[in-house]
Amino acid sequence: MGLKLKLSAAAMFVAAVTFAQDPYEGLRESWLKKAEEAKPALNYTEAAPVATVRTVQDAGSFQGWRFEEEGTPEALYGKNFKDVGSVTLDFGKHLVGYFQFHTKTLSNCMDAPVRFKLTFAEMPAELNTPFDPWSKDRLGRAWMQDETITLTRLDEWVRIPRRIAFRYVKIEMLGWPGAGYSFAIDGVRFTAQSTAGEVKTSLEQDCPDLIRRINDVGVETLRECMQTVYEDGPKRDQRLWIGDMYLEALANKHSFKNFALTKRCLYLFAALAREDGVLFADIIEDPVPHPQYGTYITPYALLWNVALLDYLDDTGDRETAEDLFPVAKVQIAEGLSFVGEDGLFDVAKKPSWLFIDHRAGLDVSASMQGVMVFALQKTYELARKLGRENEVHEYPALIKKMTRAARKYLYDKKSGLVLSGPGKQVSIMSQSWLSIASVLSPAEGAKAIRTALDHEGCVMPGTPYAMHYLLYAMLRCGMETEARRTMEDYWGGMVKKGADTFWEAYDPEDDMYSPYGFTPLNSACHAWSCTPVWFIHEYPGIFQK
């Protein structure tokens, strides 16, 4: 589809949502055009399997399964597949792209179709966990990467039309011609794709091995998620979310430096915002870029502002920042509409999905207070850098008011803890976000985090997304030793358990943890997990020494 046609189709959405009060009236189509112009080209590489493997059930391996090398792909290619029946191939690393295989007649003639089942997996356990029966309460069954294909002729390449994110593929024969016919699978290849390009940074020569491995896995995680937008997970959901984009852009700064992709994503969110200017939480690209209607995550919209400031700092692209500054003001205004006269963010008004972490039972009241203050601080900094602070002159007073309210109503000086919600919940996220927002002093924040970590019943993070903010809070509070140990224990724990890309959800105490109640639905390559790359390079004296 050409640029003109794409813009025309996307403009149909713009026309549908705009009206006289649209704060971006007359700007949306130009923003769509700029997003399209910033779209990086996909780079393609060819990959082939490195081994055939066999399944081993092992209680000592992550989620109870591992693979052992069994043979070579070349040995498979010469065998009658009717004798093989089923084979699992290991490509040696995580890949995103398109799978093909070739068949070859060995004897006689084909008198019936051949039917295969192909199951692709990122992790050993995913390939060894039955998908069915499928619970209606789970996410869509079709996210599982299993395909049944029937061939009425052989001796040619067959391409699976669906884009795959995987390391392993199991090929099973379900139906075959008569006894006199034999055939082989005599070729398998994969075309991998990413817009990442080459890594443009390096680690210090004496960087510790574990930190180096964490950085490498983080880079591969980001590479796989850098498609024509910053995807959250190339297996699932395959779309652009603000929360993931913000963290991916941080890691991109210290790896691929593909800032055009960041620019594209910022413009897409702006162009496709709701009719009142509020950002949708995520965007789907096909058949033309469009939002996932009805999906709003207020903390994500606020963090879009921080991503815009970071983009200006990273690139010096003042034109884009000037273009999109009005969008940043709208997100602040929307967030402030849920702040009461007492200066507290009122989650009871339920403005949207207030996502902070997937951990069940997490009270987000204190965290939202921190996110709101942090966004005010960063948006005011953006305004100052653009010489437009007069447009947001009220922000400093609002920051002070919300800070005072947080210290009065949420911070318990006696225990040194932030207490969230009617139940006075203690969580790591509450301590972290009020530390990030400088509501707590560095000393107070360090005490709050340490006390919470030792507190019985404290709600712990359930995802690398939440762990990013804990690590960031630790660094802002001078907890350098603990920050490094947290990275080594958490992300290093995934590496030691076999991760070649970092996972969407990880609980060191529970290998079977899943926000969806079914571990194969978890992404084993997920964008919000890649931020050790940013920390390792942003703070080399802490992590690389």
Side-chain angles (χ1 to χ4, degrees), residues 361-490:
L362 175 66
D363 187 285
V364 301
S365 303
S367 296
M368 280 308 306
Q369 188 81 3
V371 174
M372 190 74 239
V373 173
F374 182 63
L376 279 165
Q377 294 165 341
K378 293 298 185 178
T379 308
Y380 190 70
E381 182 180 344
L382 175 63
R384 284 193 296 103
K385 290 183 176 181
L386 297 175
R388 299 175 68 167
E389 60 266 45
N390 62 307
E391 298 178 34
V392 293
H393 59 85
E394 71 278 14
Y395 286 10
L398 288 166
I399 292 167
K400 290 180 181 178
K401 180 177 181 178
M402 292 192 71
T403 298
R404 287 196 298 268
R407 293 186 65 84
K408 180 178 180 180
Y409 298 111
L410 303 175
Y411 180 53
D412 178 44
K413 291 183 179 179
K414 183 177 180 180
S415 66
L417 288 165
V418 176
L419 306 177
S420 186
K424 307 284 186 189
Q425 183 188 82
V426 177
S427 73
I428 294 301
M429 286 297 93
S430 295
Q431 322 308 315
S432 298
W433 270 111
L434 289 194
S435 298
I436 290 169
S438 299
V439 169
L440 305 183
S441 70
E444 290 171 334
K447 180 181 178 182
I449 292 169
R450 289 178 182 130
T451 304
L453 288 170
D454 291 334
H455 188 278
E456 185 177 357
C458 175
V459 179
M460 298 296 291
T463 61
Y465 178 77
M467 288 298 294
H468 166 88
Y469 293 105
L470 168 59
L471 204 63
Y472 187 38
M474 285 179 165
L475 292 168
R476 288 175 69 92
C477 294
M479 301 170 66
E480 296 179 358
T481 300
E482 286 123 315
R484 177 165 171 160
R485 185 168 65 243
T486 297
M487 178 182 288
E488 291 173 340
D489 289 348
Y490 191 78

Side-chain angles (χ1 to χ4, degrees), residues 2-3 46 72 88 135 143 159 232 312 324 349 497 544:
L3 173 60
E46 296 299 317
T72 67
T88 300
S135 169
W143 282 124
R159 184 177 187 264
D232 62 330
L312 174 62
L324 299 180
K349 293 182 178 180
K497 290 179 179 180
Q544 295 192 44

